[in-house]
Amino acid sequence: MIKTKKELPVNKNDKYWLTIEDMTHDGRGVGKVDFYPIFIENAIIGEEVEVKILKTTKKFAYGKVLQWKKKSPNRVEDIDSNLIRTGIAPLAHMTYEAQLLFKQQQVEKAVTRIGGFESIEIKATKGMETPFKYRNKAQIPVRKINERLELGFFRRNSHDLIPIEDFYIQEEAIDEALIAIKPILEQFNVKPYDEEKQTGHLRNIVIRKGHYTNELMIVLVTKKKKLFKIGEICKAIVEAVPNVTSIMQSIHTENNNVILGKEFVRLYGKEYIEDQLLGNTYQISASSFYQINTTQAEVLYKEAISRAELTKDDVVIDAYCGIGTIGLSLAKDVKKVYGVEIVEEAIEDARKNAEINDIDNVEFEVGKAEVIFDKWLKEEVQPTVIVVDPPRKGLTESFIKASVEINPEKIVYVSCDPATFARDLKLYNELGYTPDYVQPVDMFPQTSHVETVVLMSRVDK
């Protein structure tokens, strides 16, 4: 018998009237045709919309809204659609109260469905007073469109650049700097990078700003080391952009989507900017990891520190310590802090930041956490608290087991991904660490991302 290809309920370019029943984790509305889900940008639960099908797969389709029959009371009108189309601000069409509730519900779904927890309380998301213009770092592609140099952002799931000047979620000084830099690049005939032809010089502009210091670093990411008239370009930028204290060049020769190259050259000023976080001063280089939203980072860290209920007798391990921001923030409250991080440059920054802030009860090690844990065990280091703040992929099973083996009384987990967070929470629970309530914190307003903090306490058998 010859098997025929199963027909889908919808085809590309079909149009349907749908009621939005749910939302995906990345903020798209979900409508259904014969139980077949359609993911739709700029749509909110409860809305009735006419949808055009853009793309189909075996399990779901993507669509776009043509018109509304019924709009949600949670909708914000007059939003630049490019903010949603590019993924800069995919929730900008929702009121901020609705965004905070959406994020609380995303955490709740993950903890219940993935973690298998039915009775953990998920607190209301801690939001910002002013949920716009908060990003202290911008990474902006430079491309040629209609024979002109343009700055902007890529349309979601594509490499089509949409020119943008107001990025809505970046600190205002960063947007102003980009507007000032663009005509300078045009004046000196700087060639934008062409991905297909592998030609041109300037790939990206990265700008970092000290939230409290107002210092600006501008990083020009180039295809080659040599950039014509770079000295004159830097002079013009310094004259046009207030508070520039550093201009760096990042040389990126490879054909990939990584933003920064591995080689850096100082073109003007310092090789870093400074900023403050919970009273400590940090040096931030072009490649340093530093929390994007300084205001909410302080909220997040305060939550993590208060949940641990630290005392002067506590010994804390800061795993995934980066440049030391969490460990150095709590060092004054405890006996000793041990930090571990696999990135050598980050540990160099962490040690430097400890010195800048006259903090001498910290010790930082380069290496894989599981290996360093074993080393510390042999040295009879006995932590009472471990703080983990991993990347989006969460913790490995080997890390979780190693952290349990070291036997702390408490583990504070700071997460930027509800799904991996819930998965890891489940394993910790199976290994004898019981979570209390979960506190979501909105580090990235107008986007679908959410941070969470939970305290897990050892159950003594």
Side-chain angles (χ1 to χ4, degrees), residues 70-317:
K70 177 186 176 184
K71 289 188 176 181
S72 167
N74 294 322
R75 173 166 290 280
V76 174
E77 302 285 4
D78 301 322
I79 289 293
D80 182 353
S81 62
N82 285 334
L83 298 170
I84 300 170
R85 290 165 64 202
T86 57
I88 290 174
L91 300 186
H93 60 300
M94 297 170 64
T95 63
Y96 192 50
E97 293 75 15
Q99 291 182 34
L100 295 178
L101 180 59
F102 167 77
K103 295 184 183 192
Q104 180 188 15
Q105 290 169 340
Q106 292 306 301
V107 175
E108 190 168 8
K109 284 179 185 177
V111 168
T112 303
R113 296 175 185 176
I114 300 171
F117 296 96
E118 297 292 341
S119 57
I120 295 182
E121 181 185 5
I122 312 297
K123 298 278 190 180
T125 309
K126 288 189 175 183
M128 290 188 78
E129 198 170 314
T130 307
F132 319 98
K133 303 292 182 186
Y134 60 83
R135 283 184 66 97
N136 58 36
K137 179 183 179 184
Q139 301 181 146
I140 308 302
V142 182
R143 296 293 184 270
K144 184 190 283 188
I145 300 177
N146 298 326
E147 299 305 311
R148 288 198 60 186
L149 181 149
E150 294 287 1
L151 311 179
F153 226 71
F154 296 123
R155 184 182 284 109
R156 277 216 253 194
N157 303 318
S158 83
H159 279 213
D160 299 330
L161 190 92
I162 297 175
I164 293 174
E165 288 192 345
D166 181 356
F167 288 82
Y168 193 60
I169 59 175
Q170 292 171 180
E171 289 206 30
E172 203 157 354
I174 293 178
D175 283 354
E176 290 170 355
L178 288 166
I179 291 170
I181 290 169
K182 183 185 171 188
I184 294 171
L185 299 175
E186 292 174 321
Q187 175 192 338
F188 287 94
N189 198 28
V190 174
K191 303 297 184 191
Y193 178 61
D194 187 309
E195 280 182 295
E196 290 183 8
K197 298 177 182 176
Q198 289 289 295
T199 58
H201 299 303
L202 189 60
R203 302 174 69 130
N204 300 287
I205 297 174
V206 177
I207 301 183
R208 307 196 77 149
K209 177 178 177 289
H211 178 75
Y212 290 111
T213 63
N214 291 317
E215 293 184 354
L216 277 179
M217 171 187 283
I218 294 167
V219 185
L220 304 175
V221 185
T222 60
K223 177 73 175 169
K224 298 177 181 177
K225 188 167 186 175
K226 189 173 180 180
L227 191 60
F228 187 59
K229 292 189 176 181
I230 188 62
E232 294 178 50
I233 292 170
C234 289
K235 184 180 177 183
I237 290 174
V238 171
E239 289 174 356
V241 182
N243 301 327
V244 173
T245 58
S246 172
I247 302 179
M248 300 290 294
Q249 180 184 8
S250 173
I251 298 134
H252 185 354
T253 59
E254 297 177 33
N255 182 22
N256 58 36
N257 294 329
V258 176
I259 301 296
L260 294 172
K262 294 175 182 176
E263 184 182 352
F264 293 89
V265 177
R266 181 178 64 86
L267 301 175
Y268 167 83
K270 306 179 293 184
E271 293 188 350
Y272 59 86
I273 58 171
E274 291 187 345
D275 200 19
Q276 280 90 44
L277 191 66
L278 292 180
N280 288 332
T281 297
Y282 295 93
Q283 288 187 358
I284 306 157
S285 66
S287 58
S288 292
F289 172 78
Y290 188 71
Q291 292 286 3
I292 292 294
N293 184 337
T294 311
T295 304
Q296 287 298 91
E298 294 185 323
V299 172
L300 183 71
Y301 289 0
K302 283 178 182 176
E303 176 68 23
I305 292 167
S306 68
R307 293 289 285 281
E309 296 182 337
L310 300 168
T311 72
K312 288 293 184 181
D313 295 322
D314 277 315
V315 175
V316 178
I317 288 179

Side-chain angles (χ1 to χ4, degrees), residues 445-460:
Q446 315 305 325
T447 81
S448 57
H449 300 299
V450 60
E451 302 269 331
T452 49
V453 181
V454 72
L455 169 68
M456 295 176 282
S457 301
R458 185 181 66 209
V459 179
D460 291 316

